[in-house]
Amino acid sequence: MTSAETIRKLVDEFASIPDWEDRYAHIIALGRALPAYPEEYRKDKYKVSGCQSQVWLYAGGKGRGDQDTQGTVDGEANGHKDVVSEVIHFEADSDAAIVKGLIAILMKIYNDRTPQEILGVPPDFIQKLGLDQHLTVNRTNGLASMMKQIHLYAIAYGRIDEERKRARELKSQ
Amino acid sequence: MTSAETIRKLVDEFASIPDWEDRYAHIIALGRALPAYPEEYRKDKYKVSGCQSQVWLYAGGKGRGDQDTQGTVDGEANGHKDVVSEVIHFEADSDAAIVKGLIAILMKIYNDRTPQEILGVPPDFIQKLGLDQHLTVNRTNGLASMMKQIHLYAIAYGRIDEERKRARELKSQ
Amino acid sequence: MNTSNVDAGFAPVAVADNALYVSALRNEFPILNQRVHGNVPLVYLDNAATTQRPIPVINATTDYLLHSHSNVHRGGHALAMEATRLFELTRSRIQAFLNAPLPEEIIYTRGTTESVNLVASAWGDDNVKSGDEVIVSEMDHHAVIVPMQMLCQRKGATLRVLPVLDNGTLDLDALPDLINNRTKLIAVNHVSNALGTINDVKSICALARPRGITTLIDGAQAVAHLKVDVQDIDCDFYVFSAHKLYGPTGVGALYGRAEIMSSMSPYQGGGSMIASVSFEGTTYNDLPYRFEAGTQNIEGAVGLGAALEWFGGLDHSAVAKHEQSLLRRATEGLSAIKGLRIIGNAPNKIGIISFVVDGIHASDIGVLCDEQGVALRVGHHCTMPLMKRFGVGSTARASAGVYTTHSEIDALVTSVGKAVRMLS
Amino acid sequence: MNTSNVDAGFAPVAVADNALYVSALRNEFPILNQRVHGNVPLVYLDNAATTQRPIPVINATTDYLLHSHSNVHRGGHALAMEATRLFELTRSRIQAFLNAPLPEEIIYTRGTTESVNLVASAWGDDNVKSGDEVIVSEMDHHAVIVPMQMLCQRKGATLRVLPVLDNGTLDLDALPDLINNRTKLIAVNHVSNALGTINDVKSICALARPRGITTLIDGAQAVAHLKVDVQDIDCDFYVFSAHKLYGPTGVGALYGRAEIMSSMSPYQGGGSMIASVSFEGTTYNDLPYRFEAGTQNIEGAVGLGAALEWFGGLDHSAVAKHEQSLLRRATEGLSAIKGLRIIGNAPNKIGIISFVVDGIHASDIGVLCDEQGVALRVGHHCTMPLMKRFGVGSTARASAGVYTTHSEIDALVTSVGKAVRMLS
Ligand SMILES: Cc1ncc(COP(=O)(O)O)c(C=O)c1O
Ligand SMILES: Cc1ncc(COP(=O)(O)O)c(C=O)c1O
């Protein structure tokens, strides 16, 4: 499913739950279903700043290797060739149930997608899902910071992919 | 004339001038008529603080001697005996014409009077004269500070006179 | 939306509510009479963060702006004199409110935080030397801890900490041992914003005074709940913010004993705080102006004056009784929720209640209560060391104001109960 | 009272008045439409001290207090989110107003004075060392001179002074010689509050930038009269107060380049400016929060946002043309009064006119104009060194705002004329 399709599906899903209690129950359930966050990444360097609750975000994996994503990213070192359409894999977690549920939603939209796809997600999905109050910059739960972080990863990986592509093209000339 | 009589006279005087221009002309004229301020007292220590215009106030004289009135006051050193009813003499000046006129009014009320008389002046004369806006604490023309200063002199001289009186009584016992 | 459980109305049934005064009061606070998240009645229980403003206080500022606004001091014209009169009138009101001996002992600041910073810099830089010690308490707000920490860092002094007991009271028995001849300052809050504890600041000052130790009392949470008398407390400095006293944000006060402040170096430089300026040398103005550089929050001062007048007109024994009964009701109601633990059980508390629930993050409770209209504050409440002391990262905090009703407390208990059920 | 000479009405005769915009504007300022001293129409010409507030700005604050007031940040409930949104919205508006690259380069302060003090302390204490030099100008406000003097005293640095020419312009030719490799900072006002002179701050910054000298521009008097673009000026810091821009007192801003500010030490300590606090050590928050300790003037920020919106909606070329024509009219009218001397005759001035009259004290002129309803400011205007430069103790100053009319200028001239006659 593309991110656009996922968003459409989520919007329908939430629209079908009129009651606020049920909606939160659903968000919390989504959070419970989030894959366990790998304990080796529960480090300060993967913490997203500006949070009232704690939020962790790890990017890499899926062939990009277990590099330190907070620093420079060097996928080449992991010996990959066809990197242009490579996706970014995220792991994320929170100690608060609702934040974790919202993270699960963000993961559905952003996880395991290419930089191009991530950067192409229209930001108005937040309004469409009725999650404005949880995901605005002013909200100190860390989710806005997390989204910003996801975008920064996409930009960084996108550049790397571009360069590799160019390097490959040069070699093949 | 007692200070009370002076105030009554001033109130009548100002009440008889309904026009604001004439009233100011009168105030300015009173200032012009103020005795020249002795140049030897035009020193920083006689300046009254908090002024937009400059204001000088010297207290002493009239048998109290030319002591440094900003410091301790020691009339005894001047060899006076009958000090109980002794009056305080002031010299005052300003470089602004209206302030000088207002000083002249204050001098009529306070100058050459005993400490008791000075401290007995009812403060509402300011309202009665319609000079509130010029003589409130908030006005930074220095006149409020000057009135405060006059009261402080009266308190200080009053204490000294008290002590001398007591000393004389002790001697005569 | 399902709001049937939320009984946060202004129904006249609330017999226990000191009904007369609360319902009359609430009319002066239109902001309380609104619905949030589309449809739920607002239950504002975030009064320790900031209080709401009654109509007379809002109007006082508006009137000032419509009729009298001008810059104060040095102004010779009609508006300037009126604005100055109002500005200085509030200073006298603050003086009376704190029972300070002199009006010039009252300095306008932005609020508690700036007041503490002013003392830490202007007094601290001159009086705290390398090797000296400053005492704060473990329950102090960051507004006290951080400026004192910064002062100690600048000076090579040591920050010492008065500990908190399990019930949320200060361990006053530990104080004599903390004090020594290098102790220069004790800074402590009068009432804890995170726990509600009322501290015995008078005893602390009584210990400090004979030893020549300067005292600073943070009254941010006290002024709206206790009668404050700086001469009775016998402190050197007392600080508070108007916005926690039904007054404006951006204005507050520092009371400082004239004896200390008249020899204190200036803090910020600028207009009004000087007597004369030249490139050869500048001399500073007298109290209080020496510490009020530049244009002050004039309309804020006017609003604070109105707030003091409004607040002064309340029946304070009725208010205190009401707030205590709200606290009891909240304590009972919340305690009945399984897994809920109240942090701070001092015998003397104002209407503040901080709590955590086993296995549930406070932030989740905050979100779900908010959906039910109940405004709590969730977090460390600018008291991280205190959170650490109680082994929690954050708490949910409900705090009452003069206008809080018993039905609102019931709404709080209901909403927390529902949140806990949803999260279990 | 004899007010027949005072023609300070809002009569539609004022064709020269850009009539359309001024008369519409004045409806938004009820305070201007009043009589003082019993019976004379107010002619408010003290706009350089503080401007009046239009109804939309007053209403914005009232609306905020009636519907959205809460403490900002860290608050998870509906009101806190709305208050935070409004608070941050103004930050973006300030950013746009100054054309600053990033919102986090805007720090809320109490006003110009505090902004300068923040830079003098937080930046100055880390960057100015013994033997270094700081340059201010002879026409600077005490708000610039005094904090820089205090900084130099703390650090054993030297304050150097850029002189003013007889016509009231800066002697820019002297600047290259004042600069040397010990020069760390140049602080200067964009527009002089005492003379009205518009300074060529862009040239000053162009001289400073390649030499690595930091620049601070005091925009207190500029923001309401000139289009300000900090990237075009290329300064490091730019400061202003809301109350000189038809906004609230008690709030203002500091713009500082992120590059400089992100490594700058904090100023005041307290809530919000920290990332974490413990007795072992405290870490500070990111920009802009690191410099915003404690509860800010939230309603002030809301009011400033409304003022920027309101002011932004004016036709600025019409405003500028109007203010220049007021200045010309005042200059011509006052110059015709015998013995009157205008201090400050720079070719580029805003609508400020300072004057003295031979043999007459400015304070007397102030009192008598006030009796005629004309509000002037009399004194040293917090620029004592500048007064000394021109050999006067004080001046009387008239300063125009967007709402000033030509008839008010005529009232000024008439009232000064009468005052001079009465005092001669
Ligand atoms: C040029 C200039 N700088 C600084 C200031 C100080 O501004 P504030 O008093 O708002 O801090 C003023 C206002 O008096 C000014 O005109
Ligand atoms: C106990 C205490 N001290 C200090 C402060 C800081 O007050 P302000 O933010 O108004 O400066 C607060 C308010 O948060 C407080 O509750």
Side-chain angles (χ1 to χ4, degrees), chain C residues 189-232:
Chain C
N189 61 33
H190 196 168
V191 171
S192 158
N193 65 305
L195 308 178
T197 312
I198 301 171
N199 292 314
D200 180 5
V201 290
K202 193 172 168 177
S203 294
I204 295 175
C205 294
L207 221 67
R209 172 76 64 227
R211 291 169 179 80
I213 299 168
T214 301
T215 48
L216 164 65
I217 307 301
D218 165 7
Q221 294 296 337
V223 285
H225 304 281
L226 309 176
K227 171 89 202 86
V228 173
D229 180 334
V230 294
Q231 297 188 62
D232 179 55

Side-chain angles (χ1 to χ4, degrees), chain C residues 291-312:
Chain C
F291 297 104
E292 294 175 358
T295 303
Q296 299 295 302
N297 187 348
I298 306 168
E299 62 214 79
V302 171
L304 171 52
L308 288 171
E309 200 186 359
W310 177 86
F311 188 70

Side-chain angles (χ1 to χ4, degrees), chain A residues 18-25 28 32 52-54 95-99 133-134 139 141, chain C residues 1-3 5 37 361 363-368 370-372 378-379 394 418 422-424:
Chain A
D19 188 81
W20 73 272
E21 292 182 49
D22 297 338
R23 210 154 47 232
Y24 276 100
I28 293 166
R32 294 218 173 102
Q52 187 165 291
S53 43
Q54 303 198 71
D95 55 351
I98 295 168
V99 173
Q133 53 162 316
H134 299 293
R139 185 77 191 204
N141 61 10
Chain C
M1 299 219 179
N2 175 356
T3 60
N5 286 329
H37 293 308
H361 200 287
S363 117
D364 291 324
I365 292 176
V367 170
L368 296 181
D370 176 47
E371 285 288 344
Q372 298 170 78
V378 168
S394 60
K418 175 176 278 187
M422 288 174 66
L423 291 159
S424 298

Side-chain angles (χ1 to χ4, degrees), chain A residues 10-133:
Chain A
L10 282 165
V11 170
D12 290 345
E13 205 169 301
F14 275 91
S16 72
I17 319 177
D19 188 81
W20 73 272
E21 292 182 49
D22 297 338
R23 210 154 47 232
Y24 276 100
H26 186 55
I27 291 173
I28 293 166
L30 290 175
R32 294 218 173 102
L34 195 68
Y37 186 76
E39 284 308 313
E40 68 262 40
Y41 302 148
R42 203 175 294 285
K43 295 179 186 151
D44 269 2
K45 65 179 174 186
Y46 299 122
K47 258 197 193 170
V48 176
S49 73
C51 316
Q52 187 165 291
S53 43
Q54 303 198 71
V55 171
W56 290 269
L57 175 69
Y58 164 86
K62 279 269 165 82
R64 285 197 183 264
D66 180 14
Q67 61 277 73
D68 180 354
T69 51
Q70 302 291 107
T72 60
V73 187
D74 185 6
E76 200 71 285
N78 295 292
H80 297 283
K81 295 286 140 54
D82 182 21
V83 286
V84 175
S85 63
E86 203 170 22
V87 301
I88 309 175
H89 179 71
F90 295 101
E91 301 278 356
D93 197 12
S94 172
D95 55 351
I98 295 168
V99 173
K100 192 164 174 177
L102 296 165
I103 286 175
I105 293 171
L106 293 181
M107 286 299 109
K108 282 179 195 291
I109 296 169
Y110 289 113
N111 199 15
D112 293 329
R113 304 202 183 273
T114 63
Q116 294 72 27
E117 224 181 336
I118 289 173
L119 295 171
V121 172
D124 66 352
F125 80 89
I126 294 174
Q127 282 82 43
K128 284 196 187 142
L129 281 171
L131 297 175
D132 323 33
Q133 53 162 316

Side-chain angles (χ1 to χ4, degrees), chain C residues 48-49 110-114 141 143-144 189 191-193 218-221 241 243-244 381-382 397, chain D residues 71 293-296:
Chain C
R110 178 170 38 245
T112 307
T113 302
E114 182 169 63
H141 191 279
V144 169
N189 61 33
V191 171
S192 158
N193 65 305
D218 165 7
Q221 294 296 337
S241 306
H243 73 96
K244 304 211 195 251
H381 315 294
C382 298
R397 179 189 70 187
Chain D
N71 214 327
T295 303
Q296 299 295 301

Side-chain angles (χ1 to χ4, degrees), chain C residues 11-35:
Chain C
V13 288
V15 187
D17 253 351
N18 244 310
L20 203 75
Y21 108 81
V22 179
S23 68
L25 268 184
R26 288 185 76 95
N27 288 332
E28 304 196 281
F29 294 86
I31 193 171
L32 298 174
N33 192 9
Q34 69 175 306
R35 292 178 173 254

